[in-house]
Amino acid sequence: MANAPVQRMSQLMAKTLRDDPADAEVLSHKLLVRAGYVRRTAAGIWSWLPLGKKVLTNVERIVREEMDAIGAQEVSLPALLPREPYEATGRWDEYGAELFRLQDRKGGDYLLGPTHEEIFTLLVKDQCSSYKDLPVILYQIQTKFRDEARPRAGILRGREFLMKDSYSFDTEDEGLAQSYALHRQAYQRVFERLGLDYRIVAATAGAMGGSKSEEFLAPAEAGEDTFADCPNCDFAANTEAVSYELQPVDGSAVPAAEEIPTPDTPTIETLAASLGVPASATLKNLLVKVDGEIVAVGVPGDREVDLGKVEEHFAPATVEMVTEADFAERADLVRGYVGPQGLEKVKYVADPRVAPGTSWITGANKDGMHAKNVVAGRDFEVDEYVDVVVVVEGDPCPKCGTGLKLDRAIEIGHIFQLGRKYADALKLDVLGQNGKPVRVTMGSYGIGVSRAVAALAEQTADEKGLCWSAEVAPADVHVVAAGKALQTELALEVSDKLAAAGLRVLVDDRAGVSPGVKFTDAELIGVPKILVAGRRSGEGVVELKDRLTGEREELTVDEAIARLTA
């Protein structure tokens, strides 16, 4: 076995910090900076230092090995991309402000790639002409760009990040399902090898388009995604993908709608307090503009509207809140007193909880007036039912009815059955067995490589610092020379022997640094095994410590080497 190099900390370009960075909000941000893995270059833009680059490379290696194992072929496509393919699919506009756009010196429009569906589609269109050329799975591990409005949490949410994106191309839907299943299994192997705790949940497709979509989430307090998990069955979904079944009721016994004076009650809270009713008895009507047209969104008064779901439903149209100017132009819309009955030239979208036959207290479209006994389907019609409420703990599981539990998580992977959206836009056909053109169907599959590093830090760190698994750690063993020349000499000798046996070794040989600081740094850096040349170095005895469990034992040098290389 070839000797692995020994990395001396006296020569390592990395400085550990005692205190958390002032702008750090989450654990991974604090520890990756303090341990000398990354440094901030600008908002949402990070530099990877030698230790961080080793971890990042190890994550890449695992991803690459599992992609290769399912027969995927690696390519490398440009990050600087022309406008035209993205315009053809509509994503030049759909991506909105998150897309980095730029022009060359001749005025040509370009973008920095957020994902590469269009470019991979054109590559296959150029290279594959027959059904015999398919199926094929192509992938790359490449830097992506998104102009995040609020980059935060260190490398968890950056404007530049490393991602594995792969794409499958098949002639039949059954082939797409098989390619999707291959990726799903490969992702499970990747995250198990990384040592991540993860959940597979149903998700929405978003700007990617397509039909079936699942996310791989790593539960963590720092997560920006919220997912719902059923304690009674196998249901799990991003809250944006949780649905509620429309359940009509018999409202025939409800008295006729009646207007009631309710001065100074423009909010659900003031209305419920004034009438002495629960907020759930009222109907909240939120007005938004969809590409400039006013749309009313109705939900029970005790629930909040999830604007992300509203935007998802109307995409790629632009959704924005109505303004004072909008109310001024529409005398029939009375702020704080809007009701669905009698609305003109306003589309009414409601959550399924506003089912036919349900009775509500809602605005009477007059200042200081509400109406009671307003029945859906009798006094007003719903143009479209859409799941638009913010999911809360205890909402019924769509599968079994048990109350759902909610948890925060980090999205580490996402897989999509795109279908023919991009093939249709870019006219990707191959000749079928009968000699006629066949429209290709696609899948898209992403893993956040740099984000996985942060997710690992979030899940495995303890009060002392980082705690890497063996597969991703920057070294196999961290050797610490605890003080004087004798200890340093032994530490270097042991390091060379371990390297000769093929282990990756980080040795702390820094002069003038106290043993206490070295021990603290070893635990902060988080290599799985720590070997200390300390007070018994003269006897040829060292201390071996397991970073995860904290277990220690004193061994002779030969015993320690045998243990570490077993």
Side-chain angles (χ1 to χ4, degrees), residues 321-330 335:
M321 300 298 295
V322 296
T323 64
E324 289 285 357
D326 296 315
F327 279 105
E329 292 178 4
R330 292 285 302 267
R335 180 184 286 276

Side-chain angles (χ1 to χ4, degrees), residues 266 268 283-290 293-301 303-311 314 319-323 327 333-340 343 346-351 354 362-363 388-390:
I268 294 296
L283 182 60
K284 180 186 297 182
N285 301 288
L286 180 73
L287 298 183
V288 298
K289 290 191 296 184
V290 179
E293 296 294 323
I294 294 179
V295 174
V297 181
V299 301
R303 304 303 293 259
E304 297 298 324
V305 175
D306 188 329
L307 287 175
K309 289 183 176 180
V310 176
E311 291 171 352
F314 287 109
V319 176
E320 54 189 341
M321 300 298 295
V322 296
T323 64
F327 279 105
L333 301 178
V334 183
R335 180 184 286 276
Y337 297 91
V338 172
L343 279 182
V346 174
K347 181 176 182 178
Y348 194 72
V349 173
D351 187 80
V354 189
T362 188
V388 291
V389 301
V390 174

Side-chain angles (χ1 to χ4, degrees), residues 169-177 420 433 438-441:
F169 299 85
D170 292 270
T171 56
E172 298 178 343
D173 292 340
E174 294 78 9
L176 170 58
R420 295 173 175 81
Q433 294 186 40
V438 174
R439 184 62 40 99
V440 173
T441 185

Side-chain angles (χ1 to χ4, degrees), residues 358-404:
T358 55
S359 176
W360 305 93
I361 299 169
T362 188
N365 300 307
K366 299 175 183 178
D367 189 29
M369 297 290 290
H370 279 82
K372 65 179 183 179
N373 304 327
V374 179
V375 177
R378 185 191 73 182
D379 301 308
F380 68 92
E381 296 296 331
V382 175
D383 294 309
E384 189 174 12
Y385 280 103
V386 183
D387 286 291
V388 291
V389 301
V390 174
V391 175
V392 297
E393 188 124 345
D395 275 352
C397 169
K399 193 169 182 180
C400 73
T402 303
L404 294 170

